[in-house]
Amino acid sequence: MRETTAKLPDHERAHRGLRRMVLYGELAPGQPVTIQGLVEALGLGMTPVREAIRRLTSQGALVFKDNRRVQVPQMSLQEYGELAFARLAVEPELARRAVENMSDEHVLQLAALDHAVDRAIERGDVRGYLENNHRFHAELYVLSGAEVLLAISEMLWLRSGPSLRIMLGRHGTANLPDKHQEALAAMRARDAEGVAQAIREDIEQGIAQVERGLGPNGD
């Protein structure tokens, strides 16, 4: 379900808004942005925005340049490899556990998100792809109820997501295979190990594409 923020306190609205900006590539890695600029972009006060920045810096998603500017950190190939290793350890397990709590309605919701992913790829909609792909994974994983692993997964996505945005900015959404259909088929069969394997292969495909983009030739 899409996040609704209208009734949330300002500090939570600021956190969610800034988090989306990082996840979906609205802040380019290595490009400093002023805190005042974020205040204006989010339409919220300085105090909640500073609190949101503090929370995201604690997760490594942002770094301070000075007391008035922050940036999404640039990612080296080695650093991305470490994040990839951690994702492959955590996310298939979240997917496996999610099946225990999965209903037919959950599968329908995830299938709708996968359809939105496919539509975004067809249209060359990078922002739509990033958002709906993330939501597919996040809404699957939350069914696991594994709070510690979920917190780790969120941090990993925040730190690795901007690298995916760089790759998509260079190459577009063409040739973006995924294993969502295989995962959905396993979900319908309530095959936990099959879901975990499909998610593992899905992540591996994405990692391979980003690593090629981060490599010396960037291709």
Side-chain angles (χ1 to χ4, degrees):
M1 184 177 295
R2 188 177 293 273
E3 290 180 329
T4 57
T5 61
K7 296 182 180 179
L8 293 171
D10 283 354
H11 70 87
E12 187 60 27
R13 290 173 61 201
H15 176 252
R16 294 191 186 195
L18 188 52
R19 176 175 167 270
R20 285 193 295 268
M21 291 174 75
V22 173
L23 279 170
Y24 306 148
E26 295 174 34
L27 299 177
Q31 179 181 355
V33 60
T34 65
I35 297 174
Q36 182 60 42
L38 293 176
V39 167
E40 294 171 1
L42 294 167
L44 295 165
M46 182 68 74
T47 298
V49 170
R50 281 190 176 275
E51 171 62 16
I53 291 169
R54 185 196 64 78
R55 290 173 66 180
L56 289 166
T57 54
S58 73
Q59 294 178 297
L62 292 172
V63 293
F64 276 107
K65 295 301 292 179
D66 52 43
N67 65 345
R68 295 182 181 178
R69 295 184 303 163
V70 295
Q71 71 178 38
V72 174
Q74 292 177 297
M75 184 72 60
S76 70
L77 188 59
Q78 178 178 338
E79 288 168 332
Y80 185 79
E82 293 176 17
L83 292 174
F85 175 86
R87 287 190 64 196
L88 288 168
V90 171
E91 293 182 48
E93 177 61 16
L94 284 168
R96 186 185 67 78
R97 295 188 186 198
V99 177
E100 300 173 10
N101 304 312
M102 187 172 287
S103 67
D104 291 343
E105 181 62 26
H106 291 135
V107 178
L108 288 172
Q109 291 170 354
L110 289 164
L113 284 171
D114 181 52
H115 180 67
V117 170
D118 292 340
R119 289 290 305 278
I121 291 173
E122 291 169 4
R123 296 193 304 266
D125 178 3
V126 171
R127 176 63 165 73
Y129 171 80
L130 288 167
E131 179 174 358
N132 288 294
N133 183 61
H134 172 256
R135 289 180 63 205
F136 178 90
H137 285 266
E139 294 190 20
L140 170 62
Y141 300 160
V142 77
L143 296 175
S144 70
E147 296 300 328
V148 173
L149 294 179
L150 283 167
I152 294 171
S153 177
E154 178 181 2
M155 179 272 290
L156 295 172
W157 273 77
L158 281 166
R159 296 193 65 177
S160 60
S163 297
L164 176 59
R165 177 63 180 84
I166 290 173
M167 185 275 291
L168 292 172
R170 290 173 178 168
H171 304 292
T173 61
N175 303 314
L176 275 178
D178 63 47
K179 292 289 183 175
H180 292 180
Q181 285 298 316
E182 290 84 347
L184 286 163
M187 290 177 210
R188 294 184 183 104
R190 299 299 190 270
D191 175 4
E193 296 305 324
V195 174
Q197 182 60 29
I199 292 299
R200 172 177 289 278
E201 292 175 3
D202 182 69
I203 296 168
E204 287 173 339
Q205 286 184 344
I207 287 169
Q209 288 180 313
V210 173
E211 287 182 335
R212 285 195 294 271
L214 290 176
N217 298 321
D219 58 4

